[in-house]
Amino acid sequence: MSLPPKPASRPDRVSLWRYARLFRADILSAQPARLYRAWMAEFRTPFFRSYLMNQPDLIKTVLKDRPEDFPKSERIGEGLRPLLGNSVFLTNGETWKRQRRIIDPAFEGGRLRETFPAMWDAAEAAAARLAPHTDSVIEIEAETSHAAADVIFRTLFSIPIEHHLARDVFEEFKAYQRSQPLLNLAAFVPLPRWMPRFFRRGTKASAARIRRLITELTQGRMDEIAAGTAPDDLATKIMTTADPVTGARFDTEEMVDQVAIFFLAGHETSASALAWTLYLMATHPEWQDRLAAEAQVLEACDFAVMSKLRLSRDVFREALRLYPPVPMMVRENTCPERFRERDVKPGAQLVLSPWHLHRHERLWDNPDGFDPTRWGTENGQKCQREAYIPFSAGARVCTGAGFAMVEGPLILSRILRDYRVAAVPGKVPVPVAHLTVRSERGIWLRLTRR
Ligand code: HEM
């Protein structure tokens, strides 16, 4: 069985200039192969120091034990701020804590059950949208993107993707992503303040248009809440939740910031994960058949079916290991630290890389292989606890993790219940990191009816 696609690594030593150029193209192939074996690696440049950390107890220190000492770097937000404003993804300290106190209750376990019918409808719609493509070759990322955007609008605002505002936001986001391919460079390599920023023309205008559309949705919901006619969905829940500490609610502006991040963080990531999972199913037909058989339980909309989609969950979890949609995260060091016999000064950038950690050769059995049964093994369970962070970990863990672990397996099973996917000869996808881990030239699959 051939291994799932992995990007080629760069040679061990390259000039800073070459590194920067590789980086602009793609942060995954810009890294040397030794990062799949190292516990920690230091990158020195004239402007900054950064440290990539793969050692589980160091990652635990940064994400779980002392997250306040390792905030998100102000500079990381620069590329995203025109779109995301003061969203929970970018803030730190007291503002971030207040925002999480208001947002978290909407994503609690019990609430997921109430959100489930909207996800179910989105999964049905996704399967129906594929029907005209039966017996042809399709680019599946476009389909999963559509499906994940639909999930967000249905769960957040009770509107399907066909609604004109939802469709316009979705289309504008596509334009935004095309105009912002340098995000990775700006986000990952903190540039000195005097260097020009890499905003492409159009990015800011695109961000402003997206925010105008989201403001319209949010304002409309404010009016419905005031009139007592608002549907009971995530937007209403978040907008009517008062911070238990200060009693304050989000005003329209701050809610727009949050909706923008829910849309961005919630649809790009899930779309990427689903597309890679479907590719893995195309290349592992025996697993595909098992999932299709399991998916027979999907008859009526009932949250209880989720407990029966165990194989689908294991497969989705394995896809998140091999292709973590958020390949790297960056934190800033605020106190002098000593990590692995090295002094790490305040201001240094700490890079946590799900991409490398999930394929670490000294931690995982068969690190580059696709094996959903690993979650039942001793090594798989240990690694799941210590070396598996597709949703990050600790206080800043993804708010949508539980949501995504329902949405992903549900849509996956729903599609495989009706369709068979097959790889297309000559079209092996190459993973590259855009906003999320995507395939360089799309993921192409042949679709037939089961
Ligand atoms: C497979 C799907 C998803 C993956 C892999 C994923 C992954 C992540 C990761 C790694 C982070 C941490 C980023 C960092 O610290 O730099 C994050 C944060 C976040 N995610 Fe997700 N996510 C997914 C789906 C979602 C969904 C569906 C939503 C909401 C509807 C969501 C909302 C958020 C928010 C609001 C944050 C910021 C949390 C904070 O900083 O306090 N995500 N996500």
Side-chain angles (χ1 to χ4, degrees), residues 33 101 125 171 222 238 278 284 347 359 372 378 405 410 439:
R101 286 197 297 266
E171 292 303 326
M222 284 277 184
I238 294 170
L278 285 165
H284 296 81
R359 291 172 180 258
E378 201 178 310
M405 286 308 294
L410 174 68
S439 160

Side-chain angles (χ1 to χ4, degrees), residues 72 88-89 96 100 107 152 261-262 265-266 269-270 273 316 320 325-326 329-331 389-392 395-401 403-404 407:
K72 286 206 172 179
V88 66
F89 194 81
W96 170 80
R100 287 287 299 232
F107 288 92
I152 293 291
I261 189 57
F262 293 150
T269 47
S270 291
F316 192 68
L320 286 175
V326 180
M329 299 175 276
V330 188
R331 296 292 189 267
I389 50 168
F391 298 106
S392 185
R396 283 206 92 131
V397 69
C398 171
T399 40
F403 181 103
E407 171 193 11

